[in-house]
């Protein structure tokens, strides 16, 4: 009982509580935007928005793999006086990667349009998405910096700005334009730009951050990024990229259907993001201080609480699915029962996977993460493609669910062994 009381009143739980409030803000904003688009635009346009939004998640994935995740692990293990200069250097140096990448994506889109490989309208959507990606990754950088310095309240502040702006921009402007998918992605970029500006001000005034030119910081993050990037790509394929396979085989209406069903359970992955963001720098810190017992207790406690919360939320949504569809979505979703069941399995498995990922990242075993993610992606896409051909859109989710379970089973044993090696 005493250990439970210490855990409940610990700094980790307090910070995680603020991070969860932050994710509630993000979840609410994404839910309101999603519902607004589902109600107000054609399914094909909503499907295009989902595909473009998946590309923004890919940009965030590159940010995490190359900059943010290595930063939170490497900076947390440095002396306190060296942490801020390291982050300063990454704050400016990262754009040497993102600006050329955005311009290259735009140029490639128009070359493809000239060759008639894609339509002019799709090239415009790629341009809007690539431009929005710059501000999206900037916002994500400041989010992770504030997690690193244990100022989750500042992360919450910039996400409130983002959420309010995104909802207002979509509801008041994007929904009424001729190409709402393009306008909604532009709204995400504009809201991220506003949030990034607030984040830069808070970083400078409250944390003492400033612009610093030092390519050594990017070189330091490249060692883990060599494994992190391919692992991220595989993870993105399973979490977002499968929408492209789904759209190619069954069309953008199927993308809209699967995305709408996931929208009902979106608080669960948002909760996982909060837990992971708080635990990653702490886990690295505990490993650096060789507090392996504390690390294990915290991970097990957080995963147990998160699993209970995910199961309870899934059960509530499943029980209330009919009034939710009738009064909230106001559009029927084919195979909703099966889709919700599959998403529930996927998300509960991801709760358990989060601790495995955090532990291996803190141990800097990005190579192990890559191979685990490779197995997960291979299982998910092989079974998902077969399932999709046999049973339509729900078949894709069956493959994703099996892939997550395989990852947890193999990754749990692997992570336990690596932790024992580190503790010797």
């Amino acid at each position: 009982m005493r250990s439970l009381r210490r855990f409940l009143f610990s700094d980790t739980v307090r910070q995680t509580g603020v991070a969860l409030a932050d994710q509630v803000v993000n979840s609410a904003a994404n839910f309101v935007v999603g519902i607004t688009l589902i109600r107000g635009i054609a399914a094909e346009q909503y499907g295009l928005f989902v595909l473009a939004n998946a590309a923004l998640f890919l940009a965030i994935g590159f940010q995490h793999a190359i900059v943010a995740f290595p930063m939170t692990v490497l900076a947390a293990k440095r002396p306190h006086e060296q942490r801020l200069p390291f982050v300063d250097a990454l704050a400016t140096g990262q754009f040497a990667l993102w600006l050329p990448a955005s311009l290259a994506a735009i140029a490639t889109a128009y070359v493809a349009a000239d060759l008639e490989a894609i339509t002019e309208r799709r090239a415009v959507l790629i341009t809007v998405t690539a431009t929005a990606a710059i501000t999206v990754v900037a916002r994500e950088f400041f989010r992770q910096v504030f997690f690193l310095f244990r100022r989750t309240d500042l992360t919450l502040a910039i996400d409130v700005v983002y959420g309010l702006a995104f909802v207002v921009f979509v509801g008041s402007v994007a929904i009424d334009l001729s190409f709402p998918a393009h306008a909604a992605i532009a709204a995400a970029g504009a809201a991220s730009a506003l949030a990034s500006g607030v984040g830069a001000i808070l970083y400078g005034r409250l944390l003492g951050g400033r612009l610093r030119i030092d390519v050594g910081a990017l070189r330091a993050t490249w060692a883990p990024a060599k494994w992190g990037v391919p692992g991220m790509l595989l993870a993105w394929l399973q979490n977002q990229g499968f929408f492209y396979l789904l759209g190619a085989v069954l069309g953008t209406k199927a993308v809209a259907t699967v995305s709408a069903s996931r929208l009902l359970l979106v608080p669960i992955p948002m909760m996982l993001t909060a837990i992971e963001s708080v635990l990653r720098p702490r886990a690295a810190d505990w490993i650096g201080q060789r507090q392996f017992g504390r690390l294990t207790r915290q991970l097990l406690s957080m995963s147990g609480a998160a699993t209970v919360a995910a199961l309870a939320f899934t059960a509530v949504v499943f029980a209330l699915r009919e009034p939710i569809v009738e009064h909230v979505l106001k559009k029927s979703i084919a195979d909703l029962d099966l889709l919700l069941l599959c998403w529930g399995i996927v998300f509960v498995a991801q709760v358990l996977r989060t601790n495995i990922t955090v532990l291996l990242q803190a141990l800097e075993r990005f190579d192990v993460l890559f191979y685990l993610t490779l197995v997960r992606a291979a299982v998910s896409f092989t079974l998902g493609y077969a399932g999709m051909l046999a049973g339509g859109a729900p078949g894709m989710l069956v493959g994703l669910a099996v892939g997550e379970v395989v990852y947890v089973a193999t990754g749990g044993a692997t992570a336990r062994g690596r932790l024992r090696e580190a503790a010797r």
Side-chain angles (χ1 to χ4, degrees):
M1 182 63 70
R2 186 178 302 170
S3 61
L4 176 61
R5 190 181 299 112
R6 282 201 304 268
F7 169 71
L8 291 176
F9 289 96
S10 66
D11 180 64
T12 301
V13 171
R14 183 180 62 81
Q15 293 285 328
T16 302
V18 179
L20 285 174
D22 169 68
Q23 290 306 315
V24 167
V25 170
N26 284 323
S27 178
N30 289 330
F31 184 79
V32 171
V33 167
I35 294 300
T36 301
L37 294 176
I38 289 171
R39 287 179 175 182
I41 67 177
E44 292 86 351
Q45 279 290 309
Y46 180 64
L48 282 177
F49 167 77
V50 171
L51 294 175
N53 199 47
L56 292 182
F57 276 105
L58 179 60
I60 293 174
F62 277 112
Q63 170 70 289
H64 284 173
I66 299 175
V67 178
F69 288 176
M71 174 186 69
T72 55
V73 172
L74 297 176
K77 295 178 179 178
R78 291 172 178 250
H80 285 280
E81 66 275 8
Q82 295 181 13
R83 292 183 183 181
L84 193 60
F86 181 71
V87 174
D88 287 342
L90 288 176
T92 53
Q94 62 177 322
F95 291 103
L97 302 175
W98 309 139
L99 289 174
S102 178
L103 294 174
I106 294 171
T108 301
Y110 280 101
V111 169
D114 287 340
L115 297 175
E116 298 184 352
I118 61 173
T119 64
E120 189 75 23
R121 190 177 300 173
R122 291 294 174 88
V124 173
L125 180 58
I126 292 172
T127 299
V128 172
T129 305
T131 303
I134 295 295
T135 60
V136 167
V137 297
R139 168 185 169 239
E140 188 61 28
F141 177 81
F142 287 114
R143 295 184 74 255
Q144 297 303 321
V145 166
F146 296 146
F147 279 124
L148 170 64
F149 289 102
R150 303 190 179 186
R151 291 299 306 269
T152 50
D153 56 325
L154 300 184
T155 300
L156 176 59
I158 65 172
D159 282 348
V160 167
V161 172
Y162 168 80
L164 289 174
F166 193 21
V167 169
V168 170
F169 292 161
V170 169
S172 62
V173 180
I175 197 72
D176 296 322
L177 296 181
S178 302
F179 304 110
H182 301 59
I185 293 298
S192 295
L194 186 59
S196 299
V198 173
I201 293 171
L202 293 175
Y203 177 65
R205 292 187 177 180
L206 299 184
L207 297 183
R210 61 185 181 86
L211 298 180
R212 183 187 300 270
I213 306 298
D214 181 4
V215 296
L218 272 179
R219 281 199 296 264
T221 64
W222 178 243
K226 286 187 294 186
W227 290 103
V229 168
M232 176 278 299
L233 288 171
L234 291 172
W236 176 83
L237 284 173
Q238 181 157 350
N239 295 330
Q240 298 290 333
F242 74 91
F243 281 126
Y244 288 89
L245 178 61
L246 188 63
V249 175
L250 300 179
T252 55
K253 283 188 177 181
V255 173
T257 296
V258 174
S259 177
S261 64
R262 181 170 71 171
L263 188 66
L264 299 181
L265 296 177
V266 76
I268 300 177
M270 291 295 183
M271 173 184 68
L272 298 182
T273 301
I275 293 173
E276 188 175 3
S277 298
V278 169
L279 284 181
R280 187 184 305 108
R282 281 171 167 73
D285 193 16
W286 292 330
I287 288 174
Q289 299 179 40
R290 300 192 63 79
Q291 297 180 357
F292 296 106
R294 183 181 183 185
L295 170 65
T296 302
R297 289 192 302 271
Q298 294 280 357
L299 290 179
L300 290 176
S301 298
M302 292 302 298
S303 64
T307 299
V308 171
L311 288 171
F313 185 79
T314 301
V316 169
V317 170
F318 191 84
L320 299 177
R321 63 193 182 282
E322 292 182 2
I324 289 174
V325 169
E326 180 180 356
H327 299 295
V328 179
L329 294 181
K330 296 185 178 180
K331 283 186 179 180
S332 61
I333 300 177
D335 300 313
L336 179 60
D337 290 4
L338 182 55
L339 289 171
L340 282 176
L341 178 62
C342 290
W343 277 125
I345 295 172
V346 169
F347 289 148
V348 170
Q350 285 180 356
V351 171
L352 303 176
R353 171 165 64 84
T354 296
N355 280 352
I356 297 170
T357 302
V358 166
L359 178 56
L360 291 173
Q361 286 175 341
L363 291 169
E364 299 184 42
R365 294 309 305 264
F366 296 94
D367 53 339
V368 176
L369 277 172
F370 167 74
Y371 289 118
L372 287 172
T373 307
L374 178 62
V375 171
R376 177 174 60 123
V379 171
S380 295
F381 273 79
T382 301
L383 296 182
Y385 182 72
M388 190 167 46
L389 294 179
M396 185 73 229
L397 295 189
V398 172
L400 295 182
V402 174
E404 292 289 353
V405 172
V406 169
Y407 185 103
V408 170
T410 57
T414 303
R416 191 181 306 115
R418 296 300 181 270
L419 183 60
R420 287 173 180 170
E421 291 176 4
R424 288 174 188 166

